[in-house]
Amino acid sequence: MSCRCNNRVDPLVPEVAVIKNIRVDTNDVTTFTVEKPEGRKCFESMPGQCAMISVPPIGEALFSITSSPTEKNFMEFSIKRCGAVTEYLHGLEVGAEIGIRGPYGNNFPVEDELKGKDLLFIGGGIGLAPLRSVINYVMDNRDNYGQVDIVYGARTSGDLVHTKDIFENWPSRPNTNVHLTVDREEEGWDGHVGFVPSYIKELGFDTNKVALICGPPIMIKFVLQGLEEIGFKKEQVYTTLELKMKCGVGKCGRCNIGDKYVCKDGPVFRCDEIQELPDEY
Amino acid sequence: MEKITVKVRETARQAFSSGEVDKILGFAKGDFWQDSYPIFITNENEVDSLIWDSFCINNLSKYLIKELKNTQKIGVFLKGCDSLAFNQLLQDNRIEADRVVIYGVPCVGMIDAEKVKKEGLNKGLLEVKRSGDEISFVTKDGDKNVSGRQFDYDKCLECNHPNPVVYKELMRDEVSREVNKEERFKDVEEIEAMSAEERFSYWSQQFSKCIRCNACRNICPACSCETCVFDNAAAGVSDKAKVDSEDQFFHIIRAYHVAGRCVNCGECSRVCPAGIPLHKLNHKIIKDINELYGEYEAGLDPSKGAPLVTYKLEDIDPFEGHKGGK
Amino acid sequence: MKKVAKNKFSQLWNSINKDYELFLPIEKDGKVNFSLWKDEDKINLDAIKTNVSPKNIIFPQSETYLKFKTDGKKLSLENVGGKKEEYVLFGVRPCDAVSFNLIDNVFLREPIDRFYEERRNKGTVVSMACLEPEETCFCSSFGIEPETAPKGVDVFTWDIGQTILWEAQTEKGNILTEKLGDIFEEVTEQDINELEKLKHSIKDKVSSLPLSDVDPKKIDGDLKDIFESEVWDEISKSCLGCGSCTYVCPTCHCYDIQDFDGGKCGERFRCWDSCMFSDFTRMAHGNPRTSQKERFRQRFMHKLVYYPNNHQVYACVGCGRCIEKCPVNMNIVKVIKKLGGEK
């Protein structure tokens, strides 16, 4: 499912939206709740899709929608401060108006390949944000999916995002396990310590699952390696790629890897598809 | 085969076999009569691709910064104008002198393909041979011989340095050309003679042709910043909007950034796809520097201090002496 | 088919100008480019190639599409993109006309770029056959025949000496023809014969061009193998990373989106960008293409492999502008030959 924006208006033109709520998650990640000014969700989407958020005159940037489409009234974005647009966003207050357009990109195949399967979600740092849209979709349609294992790690416990979900909400759901880890020993943390790729090896999963990985490229690389070592095939693993994107609709020519555009044919890719792409990333 | 090409190949062969260099920057011939393009060879077997003719216009010093990063010793064929750029790069501390071997090529002038096409002489043209100012157009239907410099690039007609100013050895005898010092800044004086409104109108019109391709910046040997201010989003000046103010801003800033380091090679104007006479801007700044700080030619003598980076007590105070824009 | 005498051109321009904006190849300071016609302009319909391609008429170098105003926390947005006036683009060569179709493939597929679509719909393209193809032309390598009307042009014309023959190809072309009314004369048997002779002469000239043997189909093999080829190291060495090739090229269409800050108000515009520039793919987390070799490879892989994979046609029309404009004499012909296996 691709962009379903207003058909007569150019896909580059945003609509006005308002920030309904701001929650500071870590020292560089903040979650924004966004709605139309009159109080409804801006547009429908599927888990894994993204939206272009505009803060004129600074610019626009593409962010994955972290809330599941089963959330009827608003959309959430967990945004890490790392450039001009994100810096500006972090300085906004509740009630500030922004521009928004979307949804862009493809989605995780929640209605196809993932249905009926056991799922293994692996996230690193801010990588949990796109995965959360899938996890909550799964939780709201729980009977359609098998066992859910979530492995999530960050540099420190202060960098873990969506703490309500990872500590309270998800562990309380049926047939759902959450495994958290931080990179190094830390005072006050009595959970697992170690990098995500090695934690996965320790946990010893069976391979009759579909895996979904989101996080820093280096983590994805090692996790994939580890999964393959224990018997996963590339066709069983999904991930998301990220490149500089401007138009979001596959026309400005910037985000291609080989003949695929990350904004249009991605950002969700199956790992065997990635293998077909040139080694440019 | 032209004598100069033979000499170039011999020199290259000798340089490789003696281990004097690891890489040589020179020219090869493409499919067309005007297509002499830069190549980078690393061993004796490639030496026979090298040529030298009247279309070897590129300044190969430009590539030295990048190539020296991964090659220990480089040999390079340089003309007079190119050698000035080489010295300027030394002065800018961008390259090391003892890692470069210069094979100097005295030059009588390079031929402008556009001028040949304008005369219609490109029909069926296979090759252009030149000896001094005797030019021979070799076509499918016979040769046409012409005498004179009417096909030279405009910048070659104003050349002060037909002979390299720094080199290990020369590929042929030095060229002697009359250099008319009086007429040197004629093009600048023409514009200075205009009123302020006329000048603004002239340059506005010229800059409106700019397509912001950055060819002028990328070919310029003085523009060697690792990250140009116009490519740096954090600098806040990289607007690519096609509006007059942005176009003018780019060129004026660039002219000032290379002020005092421009060697007057004229490449900027040659490569401009829109035909803007950019070198006139730089030429004006050279004239002003000469008047303010005494005669100075960038790239002539790297040991002499450059006026814009050297402070002397007797430096003129422009606000008093010069009385602003003339 | 109709014909119009060349000595009636002034009347023709004025006639078109009554109902349309008119873009013609205009010569200024020795260079010919398509621009909006004004009475005193020097028109040059003989130059085979304009200096820069006509793509800036359908895809402007800089195009404001959004105006915004901020007022405390409030934001207001106004859509100002697109083109309102009908126009005629007269004198487009077949190669450039085909390039419009290539850009259409990207901009007019879902989701449709409405600004571009409006600009294309408002334009009537009048193309001209090339009497004297130049030595740097190689349109035939991409299946273009400069003596016949390419798909998509609204009117095709041939210069047969004192007159030009005029044939509408589409509904828009018919409408323009009707509007111009009685400036046209009827075509005679002799004219038709002249035309056939002309077509043959052009065909002969094209097949004897020095670059007529350039064959992009020789580039075959797996996408990843071509990508990893050692050829790229060698041919990208002299590339300076300026954007000359991309900006004079009729098929290059990469763009950037930027905001112009006017304080409490401003504009958002899109403008041409070049994959050759060092900051093209640079983002907060790094840059996948850090050296010129990678950027050089991207441009030609896109034109010769990626675009054909997605659209079943090469993204080059053989106009030869890159051959003439590259400061270091690099061009797509050299890339095609090297990738096709030539030493």
Side-chain angles (χ1 to χ4, degrees):
Chain A
M1 176 169 139
S2 63
C3 171
R4 280 201 312 180
C5 31
N6 182 342
N7 222 20
R8 286 298 335 152
V9 178
D10 190 274
L12 295 182
V13 176
E15 290 182 342
V16 177
V18 70
I19 298 178
K20 254 325 194 324
N21 191 38
I22 297 178
R23 186 189 73 219
V24 177
D25 289 332
T26 74
N27 61 1
D28 58 1
V29 176
T30 296
T31 297
F32 297 86
T33 305
V34 173
E35 285 175 9
K36 278 205 221 247
E38 57 267 31
R40 281 175 303 124
K41 197 157 49 156
C42 295
F43 45 76
E44 291 302 325
S45 66
M46 287 294 278
Q49 288 194 300
C50 311
M52 270 285 188
I53 295 189
S54 271
V55 280
I58 309 299
E60 273 185 321
L62 195 70
F63 299 103
S64 61
I65 304 170
T66 195
S67 52
S68 159
T70 46
E71 171 51 66
K72 298 259 174 284
N73 299 315
F74 52 76
M75 284 196 300
E76 287 174 317
F77 297 91
S78 292
I79 297 179
K80 182 170 176 164
R81 190 180 55 227
C82 58
V85 171
T86 51
E87 182 78 49
Y88 189 84
L89 276 169
H90 275 229
L92 292 177
E93 294 174 352
V94 169
E97 289 185 336
I98 54 174
I100 193 166
R101 57 186 177 96
Y104 295 128
N106 62 354
N107 53 286
F108 285 98
V110 288
E111 291 298 318
D112 306 299
E113 282 96 333
L114 299 186
K115 245 185 166 152
K117 300 274 185 9
D118 289 347
L119 302 174
L120 171 58
F121 294 92
I122 306 167
I126 187 68
L128 186 66
L131 288 180
R132 178 171 175 269
S133 67
V134 191
I135 297 173
N136 279 347
Y137 187 89
V138 166
M139 293 299 148
D140 288 339
N141 294 292
R142 196 67 189 86
D143 293 335
N144 289 346
Y145 306 92
Q147 176 175 326
V148 169
D149 285 282
I150 302 168
V151 180
Y152 175 47
R155 259 202 324 260
T156 70
S157 64
D159 291 306
L160 294 167
V161 298
H162 294 292
T163 44
K164 194 149 198 271
D165 286 321
I166 59 179
F167 286 120
E168 296 171 23
N169 186 3
W170 294 336
S172 70
R173 299 306 200 95
N175 208 4
T176 305
N177 308 309
V178 179
H179 316 273
L180 300 175
T181 181
V182 296
D183 286 0
R184 269 171 263 280
E185 293 278 353
E186 153 186 335
E187 196 170 314
W189 175 261
D190 54 4
H192 186 274
V193 173
F195 293 118
V196 167
S198 48
Y199 192 24
I200 294 185
K201 285 219 186 88
E202 283 173 38
L203 288 165
F205 291 108
D206 72 77
T207 60
N208 192 11
K209 300 183 191 302
V210 177
L212 296 84
I213 320 173
C214 281
I218 189 86
M219 184 206 91
I220 297 181
K221 175 172 154 179
F222 284 118
V223 166
L224 183 57
Q225 245 172 40
L227 288 177
E228 286 188 291
E229 275 170 26
I230 58 178
F232 274 81
K233 298 241 177 349
K234 285 198 165 72
E235 289 84 352
Q236 293 169 260
V237 185
Y238 290 82
T239 187
T240 55
L241 296 181
E242 183 193 342
L243 284 179
K244 181 169 173 188
M245 291 178 261
K246 282 276 176 163
C247 68
V249 291
K251 296 189 197 302
C252 75
R254 197 172 303 265
C255 69
N256 71 305
I257 303 178
D259 54 5
K260 302 269 177 278
Y261 287 96
V262 173
C263 70
K264 201 170 148 72
D265 305 305
V268 178
F269 287 97
R270 216 171 56 194
C271 290
D272 58 318
E273 288 170 344
I274 295 183
Q275 196 176 30
E276 295 298 307
L277 300 175
D279 199 9
E280 199 170 34
Y281 184 57
Chain B
M1 199 193 306
E2 305 264 21
K3 248 178 29 195
I4 180 76
T5 298
V6 173
K7 177 73 177 155
V8 158
R9 291 183 187 179
E10 244 174 55
T11 310
R13 201 166 278 126
Q14 178 58 13
F16 278 128
S17 62
S18 68
E20 181 180 54
V21 295
D22 305 307
K23 185 182 283 188
I24 288 189
L25 314 184
F27 285 90
K29 199 72 191 173
D31 289 328
F32 292 108
W33 51 272
Q34 77 273 45
D35 185 2
S36 300
Y37 63 95
I39 56 162
F40 303 51
I41 60 175
T42 50
N43 63 68
E44 248 180 276
N45 301 332
E46 298 173 276
V47 154
D48 285 331
S49 329
L50 292 174
I51 54 109
W52 191 273
D53 67 7
S54 308
F55 299 99
C56 296
I57 187 68
N58 289 104
N59 185 345
L60 298 175
S61 311
K62 175 80 191 181
Y63 296 109
L64 286 172
I65 301 177
K66 192 168 100 173
E67 293 302 313
L68 282 171
K69 287 201 177 125
N70 55 32
T71 311
Q72 189 49 35
K73 282 208 90 172
I74 300 187
V76 61
F77 290 94
L78 299 181
K79 310 185 285 293
C81 43
D82 307 338
S83 65
L84 290 172
F86 175 83
N87 275 343
Q88 187 52 49
L89 286 174
L90 276 183
Q91 205 159 4
D92 288 345
N93 278 323
R94 308 297 276 126
I95 56 177
E96 294 164 58
D98 51 5
R99 288 170 60 196
V100 182
V101 182
I102 300 179
Y103 309 114
V105 189
C107 169
V108 292
M110 290 289 163
I111 294 181
D112 185 351
E114 292 302 309
K115 291 191 180 178
V116 173
K117 285 185 195 166
K118 249 209 176 104
E119 294 299 309
L121 285 165
N122 57 317
K123 295 272 182 326
L125 185 55
L126 297 168
E127 192 191 345
V128 179
K129 294 211 258 248
R130 181 177 192 156
S131 173
D133 291 337
E134 300 300 317
I135 306 177
S136 182
F137 293 94
V138 178
T139 74
K140 285 197 270 221
D141 313 303
D143 297 358
K144 185 175 160 82
N145 296 321
V146 171
S147 216
R149 303 192 69 189
Q150 64 269 52
F151 296 104
D152 283 10
Y153 280 100
D154 286 340
K155 64 172 183 155
C156 293
L157 297 172
E158 327 243 307
C159 170
N160 291 343
H161 294 282
N163 302 307
V165 301
V166 54
Y167 53 85
K168 171 177 174 268
E169 60 178 293
L170 287 178
M171 298 292 100
R172 59 183 167 197
D173 292 334
E174 288 197 334
V175 166
S176 55
R177 281 248 188 252
E178 283 287 313
V179 175
N180 189 342
K181 288 227 154 192
E182 299 301 309
E183 298 277 291
R184 244 190 329 153
F185 292 108
K186 197 164 71 128
D187 55 348
V188 175
E189 283 159 7
E190 266 170 21
I191 301 183
E192 281 176 336
M194 298 182 194
S195 72
E197 286 84 20
E198 286 170 335
R199 238 183 288 165
F200 183 71
S201 161
Y202 173 81
W203 283 112
S204 294
Q205 207 218 46
Q206 292 295 344
F207 289 142
S208 69
K209 305 192 288 194
C210 176
I211 61 174
R212 300 299 299 280
C213 68
N214 293 325
C216 53
R217 176 193 72 179
N218 288 33
I219 197 95
C220 173
C223 271
S224 58
C225 289
E226 294 284 328
T227 304
C228 174
V229 68
F230 289 101
D231 284 344
N232 185 353
V237 297
S238 58
D239 260 353
K240 298 182 187 125
K242 182 84 196 76
V243 290
D244 287 344
S245 56
E246 293 296 324
D247 297 338
Q248 292 163 11
F249 185 65
F250 175 81
H251 289 291
I252 295 175
I253 291 293
R254 202 182 83 77
Y256 275 100
H257 278 193
V258 302
R261 299 181 306 111
C262 166
V263 299
N264 205 19
C265 71
E267 282 285 83
C268 46
S269 290
R270 173 185 77 87
V271 303
C272 174
I276 304 172
L278 297 165
H279 67 285
K280 290 189 185 177
L281 274 178
N282 303 95
H283 217 195
K284 159 72 175 163
I285 292 184
I286 293 176
K287 176 168 182 280
D288 282 354
I289 291 178
N290 283 355
E291 285 169 9
L292 290 170
Y293 305 110
E295 283 281 323
Y296 175 75
E297 247 195 281
L300 199 49
D301 184 352
S303 65
K304 243 172 75 172
L308 292 184
V309 297
T310 314
Y311 175 68
K312 294 205 180 99
L313 272 178
E314 61 266 19
D315 274 342
I316 188 175
D317 181 347
F319 295 105
E320 271 183 39
H322 197 56
K323 290 203 166 38
K326 204 162 42 163
Chain C
M1 196 180 292
K2 305 209 185 283
K3 73 177 181 193
V4 56
K6 275 156 75 169
N7 57 21
K8 283 216 193 138
F9 268 175
S10 181
Q11 192 188 338
L12 179 64
W13 310 141
N14 279 301
S15 195
I16 297 178
N17 210 205
K18 275 211 286 277
D19 297 307
Y20 301 86
E21 281 185 352
L22 176 58
F23 291 91
L24 282 163
I26 311 273
E27 183 167 340
K28 221 164 76 155
D29 287 344
K31 299 246 190 260
V32 184
N33 283 309
F34 280 92
S35 38
L36 197 57
W37 173 71
K38 290 186 302 299
D39 215 349
E40 59 287 0
D41 282 335
K42 178 173 170 201
I43 302 171
N44 185 337
L45 287 168
D46 297 318
I48 285 288
K49 282 196 266 278
T50 50
N51 196 40
V52 178
S53 75
K55 84 178 171 200
N56 66 313
I57 309 294
I58 57 165
F59 175 46
Q61 178 153 9
S62 181
E63 181 178 11
T64 295
Y65 62 89
L66 197 69
K67 287 208 161 127
F68 50 81
K69 268 209 279 283
T70 54
D71 184 7
K73 286 186 177 167
K74 292 218 122 331
L75 172 68
S76 62
L77 302 172
E78 189 195 343
N79 179 352
V80 297
K83 186 170 175 68
K84 303 289 165 269
E85 304 78 14
E86 309 250 336
Y87 63 95
V88 167
L89 187 48
F90 193 106
V92 179
R93 298 294 177 189
C95 53
D96 290 333
V98 170
S99 77
F100 293 174
N101 298 340
L102 296 176
I103 302 183
D104 285 352
N105 283 343
V106 175
F107 282 39
L108 295 183
R109 68 168 177 177
E110 288 294 336
I112 298 176
D113 184 320
R114 298 290 171 189
F115 305 135
Y116 179 85
E117 184 191 39
E118 192 174 32
R119 219 169 264 280
R120 283 291 268 141
N121 287 348
K122 298 269 180 195
T124 303
V125 176
V126 179
S127 180
M128 289 194 86
C130 300
L131 303 186
E132 297 279 347
E134 294 179 342
E135 55 187 2
T136 49
C137 292
F138 55 108
C139 59
S140 58
S141 299
F142 298 99
I144 299 173
E145 294 168 338
E147 74 276 6
T148 57
K151 191 166 74 87
V153 301
D154 299 301
V155 176
F156 200 71
T157 63
W158 296 263
D159 181 342
I160 55 169
Q162 304 294 345
T163 63
I164 61 165
L165 297 181
W166 169 291
E167 189 175 48
Q169 309 282 323
T170 64
E171 190 51 41
K172 258 197 262 174
N174 283 329
I175 295 176
L176 175 63
T177 311
E178 258 187 63
K179 283 210 170 105
L180 295 174
D182 39 349
I183 196 170
F184 293 114
E185 295 160 45
E186 284 312 310
V187 165
T188 67
E189 178 108 20
Q190 195 189 7
D191 295 326
I192 302 288
N193 290 335
E194 282 298 315
L195 179 59
E196 285 311 304
K197 277 211 300 251
L198 180 66
K199 282 187 180 175
H200 277 118
S201 137
I202 296 176
K203 244 188 150 71
D204 282 336
K205 288 189 182 137
V206 166
S207 56
S208 53
L209 287 174
L211 294 177
S212 56
D213 60 345
V214 171
D215 188 3
K217 289 192 281 300
K218 286 213 184 104
I219 305 170
D220 59 11
D222 187 51
L223 185 152
K224 286 180 77 172
D225 288 336
I226 305 174
F227 185 86
E228 301 289 346
S229 165
E230 287 165 356
V231 159
W232 297 111
D233 249 321
E234 186 202 321
I235 47 179
S236 65
K237 270 282 164 112
S238 59
C239 174
L240 295 169
C242 70
S244 285
C245 52
T246 53
Y247 283 18
V248 300
C249 172
T251 64
C252 277
H253 59 267
C254 285
Y255 62 86
D256 195 2
I257 297 176
Q258 294 207 349
D259 284 356
F260 183 77
D261 188 353
K264 288 219 162 56
C265 62
E267 299 180 359
R268 176 166 292 165
F269 59 95
R270 70 160 163 209
C271 55
W272 291 358
D273 204 352
S274 173
C275 57
M276 296 305 227
F277 292 155
S278 56
D279 60 343
F280 186 65
T281 47
R282 189 191 301 143
M283 50 180 176
H285 307 303
N287 189 349
R289 297 185 197 133
T290 45
S291 80
Q292 198 54 37
K293 166 190 157 184
E294 283 136 13
R295 298 188 276 266
F296 184 92
R297 173 174 59 186
Q298 157 62 21
R299 177 157 192 265
F300 294 104
M301 286 296 287
H302 174 249
K303 288 202 176 302
L304 301 169
V305 182
Y306 303 155
Y307 184 101
N309 273 9
N310 289 332
H311 303 281
Q312 287 70 51
V313 64
Y314 293 101
C316 174
V317 294
C319 73
R321 288 185 177 92
C322 54
I323 301 179
E324 291 173 6
K325 294 299 178 187
C326 175
V328 298
N329 279 319
M330 179 42 65
N331 53 66
I332 200 169
V333 169
K334 291 186 176 170
V335 177
I336 293 175
K337 288 190 170 173
K338 268 274 148 54
L339 286 181
E342 207 181 271
K343 282 278 141 267

